[in-house]
């Protein structure tokens, strides 16, 4: 049985707290800490057993170290923002505690995410006998595990992967993001990128699309984006010739985003306004609905999976491994929408794999580097059942 410290009390943090609280035989003691402690304090009333809460600025390593020493967890689940990843990893190294996150580090002043910074911690985690599990959300996270599962059970060699992410839900707002608005908009407005025949190919943002028939949702137009799991899957999946990532967006969303971009509201650099420096995207975040507040009345489903083509016993085969998640059911269970839920459940399962020593190693790892079977079993048990369609 373990003690776990969850950092970040947003949409995803709330789900992680709920899901860890549901498994007392693994997570004996839980602390939820975040910058705004009132957000942490609102969660325990929703749970079936007590958890502790605390205020912490996760950009302040000494403050993190003091909190970790005081609470004494075996591991930290980082569901704050990607900007905090390296600070929390530093604090884990200093206190001898394992680490897990759901999104890779990105510098606050540059919309660029890659694993380079976190992979550089490999030797330090190894030397301390600690493990860091990177990207244990849905995508990255479950999508990496789906690829590892297909590699283990279905194919001798995987040649093509298309990760397809559809949110066909309706939250009733003209424009809102389903996870942190700043991180979401930075991701979507970047140039698109995919990997083919050993090279990364860049394209203009949202300049390639196709219509895919998503299970339980139907045909939806999906746009090519760069997504972080491509970087590790390229290294870890044998025989890969191409990997791409696609996400669906409604016309309303795209129109709002285009206008916001055109008027400069998505800028990440400071501008002077009436004698004050403001960062437009941070101001925009303050105006938009909080992702944690969207779940009431949210209808529809997410349908996310990996379309995988490869060779088995000399024959070409193609399958779609996917999960479908219902917003309203997530709200009913944990007071959250499906995007927070599909991220928070795998974060809890990843932590469970580590606390139970099922996934055990020293150093910094991505999800596809471990045996996928126990994780896939837990997805079925803890609210994200998966399915395979042969095409
Ligand atoms: P939210 O914006 O709802 O929550 C983020 C939380 O982090 C807030 O409670 C915020 O505090 C807290 N926080 C921010 N800065 C600090 C800090 N310096 N110290 C302590 N706490 C801080 O975001 P989400 O819950 O939607 O997303 C959480 C993470 O999950 C993000 O990193 C996101 O990229 C990732 N994610 C991953 C997905 C995947 O599938 N892999 C999918 C969706 C999200 P405050 O309330 O004070 O602002």
């Amino acid at each position: 049985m373990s003690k776990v410290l969850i950092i970040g009390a947003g949409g995803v943090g709330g789900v992680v707290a709920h899901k860890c609280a549901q498994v007392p035989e693994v997570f004996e003691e839980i602390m939820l800490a975040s910058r705004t402690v009132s957000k942490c304090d609102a969660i325990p009333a929703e749970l079936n057993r007590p958890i502790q809460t605390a205020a912490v600025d996760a950009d302040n390593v000494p403050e993190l170290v003091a909190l970790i020493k005081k609470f004494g967890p075996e591991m930290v689940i980082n569901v704050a923002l990607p900007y905090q990843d390296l600070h929390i990893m530093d604090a884990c190294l200093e206190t001898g505690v394992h680490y897990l996150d759901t999104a890779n580090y990105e510098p606050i002043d540059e919309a660029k995410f890659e694993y380079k910074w976190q992979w550089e911690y490999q030797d330090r985690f190894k030397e301390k006998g600690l493990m860091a599990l990177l990207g244990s959300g849905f995508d990255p996270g479950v999508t990496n595990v789906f690829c590892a599962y297909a590699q283990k059970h279905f194919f001798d060699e995987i040649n093509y992967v298309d990760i397809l992410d559809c949110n066909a839900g309706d939250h009733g707002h003209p424009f809102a993001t389903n996870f942190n608005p700043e991180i979401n908009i930075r991701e979507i407005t970047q140039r698109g990128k995919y990997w083919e025949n050993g090279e990364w190919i860049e394209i203009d943002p949202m300049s390639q699309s196709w219509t895919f028939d998503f299970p339980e949702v139907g045909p939806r137009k999906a746009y090519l984006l760069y997504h972080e799991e491509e970087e590790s899957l390229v290294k870890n999946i044998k025989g890969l010739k191409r990997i791409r990532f696609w996400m669906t967006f409604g016309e309303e969303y795209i129109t709002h985003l285009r206008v916001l971009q055109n008027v400069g509201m998505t800028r990440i650099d400071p501008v002077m306004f009436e004698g004050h420096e403001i960062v437009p995207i941070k101001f925009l975040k303050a105006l938009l609905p909080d992702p944690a507040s969207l779940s009431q009345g949210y209808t529809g489903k997410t349908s996310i999976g990996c379309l995988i083509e490869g060779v088995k016993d000399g024959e070409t085969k193609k399958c779609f491994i996917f999960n479908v998640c219902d917003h309203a059911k997530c709200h009913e269970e944990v007071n959250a929408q499906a995007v927070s839920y599909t991220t928070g459940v795998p974060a809890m399962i990843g932590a469970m794999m580590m606390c139970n020593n099922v996934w055990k190693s020293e150093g910094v790892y991505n999800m596809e580097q471990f045996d996928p079977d126990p994780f896939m079993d837990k997805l079925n048990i803890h609210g994200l059942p998966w399915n395979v369609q042969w095409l």
Side-chain angles (χ1 to χ4, degrees), residues 203-217:
I203 60 165
D204 286 338
M206 316 278 269
S207 61
Q208 273 191 33
S209 62
W210 66 310
T211 298
F212 182 76
D213 192 1
F214 288 89
E216 295 187 41
V217 162

Side-chain angles (χ1 to χ4, degrees), residues 239-257:
L240 204 57
K241 292 182 182 156
R242 188 184 64 212
I243 183 164
R244 302 178 295 193
F245 181 96
W246 307 86
M247 191 175 273
T248 63
F249 300 101
E251 284 305 316
E252 272 281 278
Y253 184 95
I254 293 173
T255 306
H256 275 83
L257 192 62

